[in-house]
Amino acid sequence: MEPVWIISGLGILILFLLVAGASFRPIKWIGQGFIKIIIGALLLFVLNTVGNQFGIHLPINIATVAVSGILGVPGICSLVAIQMYVI
């Protein structure tokens, strides 16, 4: 399956969840979690693109995406600090 179809299908699903809304709380939580994971992955992608000039590279895997999606910018800053000083 081509990536264009997958990305467009996910985009339609996100738009459907945003427009229709989820009346059930578990479905709403799953939708919000899914959106946060996508935003976290996009933030990591942007960081890797811009940070490449400064020698910063974070792997995009489920753990880093979850941290950056749930915690946002402070999570990304903590991941960069861990990568620079600990590892």
Side-chain angles (χ1 to χ4, degrees):
M1 191 172 232
E2 293 186 32
V4 174
W5 288 105
I6 295 172
I7 292 171
S8 62
L10 290 174
I12 290 172
L13 180 65
I14 290 171
L15 286 175
F16 176 73
L17 286 174
L18 289 174
V19 172
S23 60
F24 302 108
R25 284 189 178 228
I27 295 174
K28 191 173 187 178
W29 288 347
I30 291 170
Q32 288 176 349
F34 185 69
I35 291 172
K36 285 185 177 188
I37 286 175
I38 290 174
I39 291 171
L42 289 175
L43 285 173
L44 283 175
F45 176 74
V46 169
L47 175 75
N48 284 337
T49 305
V50 174
N52 192 19
Q53 299 171 355
F54 303 107
I56 298 172
H57 174 74
L58 292 174
I60 300 177
N61 56 30
I62 192 68
T64 57
V65 168
V67 168
S68 65
I70 293 171
L71 297 178
V73 175
I76 290 179
C77 291
S78 66
L79 287 171
V80 169
I82 290 170
Q83 190 255 347
M84 291 179 72
Y85 295 115
V86 176
I87 297 179

